[in-house]
């Protein structure tokens, strides 16, 4: 479950995970080239450092201790996924997933910032197991963060419900999802939490966590936004402010 920072490779300012690449890119000048890598040529997970077997980035003893606890929490999800995800959500996730295991979370275990979405997307996290990745809304989020000078792989990203709901429509939050998210955030202890979408905001509020609301990237995608606009950049700049100047 752990991905150690020393295993990453920095190419022209972009961090890649060599294990995720089926072949070495011919050109990788910046993050735009990175996010443009074709998965048929370079691999499904070529545009992120994570995959279902390496979910949590660790850089020191503190983040490794948190990463171990998060890995144990993921194992708890696997022992009783119906309780944590809900029967319908679990059943649907098992149909659409193209990886071993279930979605959970991914990111730097020592991150000061946590991004919490609603649930995995059918074409994105539901397929790959990596949060906000591959589908239109996930890649818009990544483009915006890179444009703000933030490598999205160095944040911590998760969802309220860990399994993709039928047809991408969440019909209520299973009680176990509340419990799992609370345990997850207590391990992480982020300084700032961003609720992506109203569902995430509502759940975090009910759990007693302070969170800053952000409109979901899907809201922008439905309005034809596929590249960072001034509106979404201004809204998501709050993450840049919360993160500060941390670099790996």
């Amino acid at each position: 479950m752990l991905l150690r920072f020393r295993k990453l490779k920095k190419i022209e300012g972009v961090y890649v995970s060599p294990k995720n690449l089926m072949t070495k890119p011919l050109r990788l000048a910046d993050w735009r080239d990175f996010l443009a890598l074709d998965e048929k040529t370079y691999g499904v997970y070529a545009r992120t450092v994570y995959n279902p077997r390496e979910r949590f980035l660790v850089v020191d003893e503190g983040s490794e201790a948190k990463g171990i606890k998060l890995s144990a929490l993921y194992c708890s999800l696997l022992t009783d996924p119906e309780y944590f995800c809900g029967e319908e959500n679990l059943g649907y996730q098992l149909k659409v997933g193209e990886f071993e295991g279930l979605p959970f979370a991914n990111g730097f275990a020592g991150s000061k910032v946590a991004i919490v979405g609603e649930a995995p997307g059918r074409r994105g996290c539901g397929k790959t197991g990596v949060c906000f990745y591959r589908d239109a809304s996930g890649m818009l989020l990544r483009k915006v963060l890179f444009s703000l000078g933030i490598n999205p792989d160095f944040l911590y990203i998760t969802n309220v419900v860990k399994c993709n709901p039928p047809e991408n429509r969440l019909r209520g939050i299973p009680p176990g999802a509340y419990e799992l998210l609370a345990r997850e955030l207590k391990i992480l202890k982020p300084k700032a939490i961003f609720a992506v979408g109203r569902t995430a905001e509502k759940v975090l509020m009910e759990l007693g966590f302070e969170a800053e609301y952000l409109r979901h990237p899907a809201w922008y995608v439905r309005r034809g936004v596929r590249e960072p606009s001034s509106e979404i950049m201004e809204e998501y700049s709050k993450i840049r402010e919360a993160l500060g100047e941390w670099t790996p």
Side-chain angles (χ1 to χ4, degrees), residues 132-184:
F132 284 95
Y133 179 69
R134 197 193 198 196
D135 59 4
S137 60
M139 298 314 284
L140 176 59
L141 173 66
R142 289 172 181 268
K143 290 176 182 178
V144 168
L145 292 174
F146 269 122
S147 296
L148 290 169
I150 303 168
N151 187 323
D153 286 333
F154 295 148
L155 301 180
Y156 185 88
I157 307 178
T158 190
N159 284 300
V160 171
V161 178
K162 308 308 185 191
C163 290
N164 183 208
E167 304 305 321
N168 268 7
R169 295 184 179 181
L170 194 58
R171 299 174 179 85
I173 310 295
Y178 284 90
E179 177 187 329
L180 195 65
L181 181 61
R183 290 166 62 185
E184 184 179 6

Side-chain angles (χ1 to χ4, degrees), residues 3-199:
L3 172 62
R4 289 179 169 78
F5 181 72
R6 64 176 180 270
K7 291 186 177 181
L8 302 183
K9 184 176 182 181
K10 191 175 184 180
I11 305 175
E12 299 297 333
V14 179
Y15 286 90
V16 301
S17 177
K19 289 179 64 176
N20 287 355
L21 296 168
M22 293 193 302
T23 185
K24 184 178 179 180
L26 295 176
R27 182 177 184 274
L28 201 60
D30 56 26
W31 64 265
R32 294 171 183 82
D33 290 338
F34 181 53
L35 294 187
L37 292 176
D38 174 54
E39 66 180 46
K40 291 183 179 179
T41 303
Y42 299 103
V44 173
Y45 301 101
R47 295 168 292 173
T48 177
V49 300
Y50 302 107
N51 60 62
R53 294 185 179 181
E54 295 177 314
R55 299 174 182 269
F56 309 116
L57 179 66
V58 297
V59 303
D60 53 25
E61 291 183 1
S63 58
E64 181 155 355
K66 289 184 179 181
I68 290 170
K69 291 179 180 179
L70 290 167
S71 299
L73 190 60
Y74 173 68
C75 291
S76 296
L77 167 65
L78 296 183
T79 59
D80 195 358
E82 189 171 313
Y83 169 68
F84 291 115
C85 290
E87 182 179 1
E88 285 190 352
N89 300 333
L90 174 62
Y92 188 73
Q93 176 61 58
L94 293 175
K95 289 180 181 179
V96 302
E98 297 180 346
F99 60 97
E100 185 178 345
L102 294 173
F104 181 69
N106 53 270
F108 173 37
S111 177
K112 294 188 293 186
V113 171
I115 295 177
V116 182
E118 179 181 289
R122 180 174 54 188
R123 296 184 179 88
C125 183
K127 290 281 187 186
T128 66
V130 176
C131 298
F132 284 95
Y133 179 69
R134 197 193 198 196
D135 59 4
S137 60
M139 298 314 284
L140 176 59
L141 173 66
R142 289 172 181 268
K143 290 176 182 178
V144 168
L145 292 174
F146 269 122
S147 296
L148 290 169
I150 303 168
N151 187 323
D153 286 333
F154 295 148
L155 301 180
Y156 185 88
I157 307 178
T158 190
N159 284 300
V160 171
V161 178
K162 308 308 185 191
C163 290
N164 183 208
E167 304 305 321
N168 268 7
R169 295 184 179 181
L170 194 58
R171 299 174 179 85
I173 310 295
Y178 284 90
E179 177 187 329
L180 195 65
L181 181 61
R183 290 166 62 185
E184 184 179 6
L185 293 176
K186 286 177 182 177
I187 291 171
L188 192 66
K189 292 183 173 65
K191 291 185 177 180
I193 302 173
F194 290 90
V196 179
R198 291 298 182 189
T199 298

